[in-house]
Amino acid sequence: MQPPARKPLRIGFILANDFTLSAFSLFVDTLRLAGDEGDRSGKVHCDWDVLSANGHLIRSSTGVEVAPTAALADPRRFTHVAVVGGLLRDPEPVSASALAFLRKAAQENVPLIGVCTGTFILARAGLMRARKVCVSWYHLDEFRSEFPDNTPIADRLFFVDGNRITCSGGAGAADLAALLVERHLGLAMKQKALDVLQIEKARAPSDPQPHVPVARPVSDNRVRRALLIMEQSMADPLPISEIASRCGLSTRGLERLFMNSLNTRPNAAYVRLRLEVAHQMVVTTAKSMIEIGGVTGFTHSSNFSRRFKEAFGISPIALRRSGQGKPAASENSVGAGIG
């Protein structure tokens, strides 16, 4: 008797200790709704398992526990293996057996997915060498600190680099799952899952993460991505032409978008962004002015002090001594004119 054919989409999940429940549930629920006709939750068109070496319940960061459904065996039975991370406080978030399973999957060319801080687990296992890694803006500094030889990106929801897929987490897990469903099962099944989940439209991998920390939200995704890139490259500011290229635009095109959205040019927005971060650091940290200037890309202390005073009407040293709070946004703010 022939064994049943492998379904076109079958995902094995490895859940870290204190894993992020929302990312896992959105990912697996998208599969569940695409996997059967109607809402019967049958695994007709796709399949999934929660993997474990010992069968013990796995605790999420919310305290809700999930029971494994399969052992760590041959990874080739899956089309993908996904690692869902969570809190970073645990130095060993998955077992040695799970790490060995991930390495075996990589050897067998099974695509690996890192969701949320699952990217840290893949990187620690040596499985992201020479790969770009999509991480949440919230964990960007931690990733850079731990993996200085990797190339993290935090200006998009998820990123596909060959047979490695990394996702920033949160609701982006549903967008990633929807992409996999469309690729393996078709557009109709993807749309059915999204409709039941009340998601109007799946976002693309290149859509920006919904975070602009200094400016107020802007509606144009390309401007939002440019601001994220600026925020993530303050210590060594990038040429505007490179930022425009990363956003799929010409320099002139990016300037037009910035004028339309923010009523300012990209260069001016970049400087203001760096100054606002510097202002926050002056008020809330004990770092020296030289350190703050270095972190925000002002390598000459005299230039830093002059620019700071022009922007805020007070030198950084005088501001720290005065104990003043953050000034109200002015017409020069990056976010000025945004409703």
Side-chain angles (χ1 to χ4, degrees):
M1 182 176 179
Q2 290 288 336
R6 187 175 73 165
K7 292 184 172 66
L9 181 60
R10 187 181 186 195
I11 297 182
F13 287 96
I14 292 178
L15 306 181
N17 300 329
D18 296 315
F19 71 93
T20 304
L21 183 62
S22 58
F24 169 65
S25 60
L26 281 166
F27 199 131
V28 79
D29 233 14
T30 305
L31 301 178
R32 177 183 71 86
L33 293 165
D36 198 0
E37 304 299 330
D39 192 24
R40 293 188 291 270
S41 299
K43 297 180 177 181
V44 176
H45 304 295
C46 62
D47 202 353
W48 58 93
D49 276 303
V50 175
L51 308 176
S52 171
N54 54 29
H56 295 169
L57 294 173
I58 308 166
R59 187 181 186 275
S60 72
S61 58
T62 67
V64 174
E65 296 180 319
V66 171
T69 59
L72 296 169
D74 188 349
R76 292 175 297 178
R77 68 191 192 274
F78 299 107
T79 59
H80 303 75
V81 173
V83 186
V84 183
L87 301 180
L88 289 174
R89 64 191 179 194
D90 191 338
E92 296 181 354
V94 298
S95 67
S97 298
L99 291 176
F101 177 82
L102 289 171
R103 294 189 180 105
K104 174 68 172 175
Q107 291 172 1
E108 298 291 350
N109 292 318
V110 177
L112 299 178
I113 302 171
V115 180
C116 193
T117 59
T119 54
F120 284 71
I121 295 169
L122 292 178
R124 286 170 187 160
L127 299 173
M128 295 304 298
R129 293 192 183 100
R131 308 271 188 165
K132 291 183 178 179
V133 185
C134 181
V135 299
S136 166
W137 61 266
Y138 192 78
H139 295 298
L140 178 61
D141 289 341
E142 291 162 297
F143 191 92
R144 281 176 170 162
S145 177
E146 186 171 350
F147 309 105
D149 295 330
N150 275 97
T151 304
I153 50 176
D155 63 337
R156 62 191 65 207
L157 291 172
F158 56 97
F159 188 78
V160 181
D161 189 346
N163 60 358
R164 300 288 189 276
I165 306 173
T166 47
C167 175
S168 58
D175 300 294
L176 169 55
L179 177 70
L180 295 177
V181 167
E182 181 177 0
R183 284 183 175 180
H184 292 265
L185 304 177
L187 181 60
M189 292 183 183
K190 165 193 164 182
Q191 195 57 51
K192 179 244 184 179
L194 294 177
D195 288 346
V196 179
L197 285 171
Q198 301 289 301
I199 297 175
E200 183 176 358
K201 180 182 178 182
R203 294 169 293 179
S206 58
D207 280 2
Q209 294 179 29
H211 168 69
V212 182
V214 178
R216 285 179 285 169
V218 294
S219 58
D220 193 293
N221 282 345
R222 295 163 294 183
V223 175
R224 290 170 59 197
R225 173 168 303 137
L227 289 170
L228 280 167
I229 294 170
M230 290 175 181
E231 183 201 358
Q232 293 155 21
S233 54
M234 285 188 293
D236 188 14
L238 299 170
I240 297 302
S241 58
E242 182 172 342
I243 295 173
S245 177
R246 290 190 188 186
C247 297
L249 296 164
S250 66
T251 301
R252 187 168 296 179
L254 185 65
E255 288 179 349
R256 282 197 298 268
L257 288 176
F258 265 69
M259 290 302 297
N260 290 337
S261 296
L262 300 173
N263 197 32
T264 191
R265 295 185 181 280
N267 266 323
Y270 205 171
V271 172
R272 182 68 191 196
L273 181 68
R274 290 156 54 205
L275 285 168
E276 289 187 356
V277 172
H279 186 288
Q280 184 180 28
M281 294 177 71
V282 168
V283 173
T284 62
T285 77
K287 291 182 182 293
S288 71
M289 298 306 150
I290 293 177
E291 287 180 294
I292 293 172
V295 167
T296 53
F298 297 99
T299 54
H300 300 289
S301 57
S302 59
N303 180 49
F304 171 51
S305 182
R306 176 178 60 82
R307 291 287 194 116
F308 194 99
K309 188 170 183 178
E310 288 174 353
F312 304 113
I314 188 172
S315 72
I317 292 176
L319 175 64
R320 177 167 288 175
R321 288 173 179 167
S322 73
Q324 293 180 31
K326 186 175 180 179
S330 69
E331 63 180 2
N332 294 319
S333 171
V334 174
I338 308 170

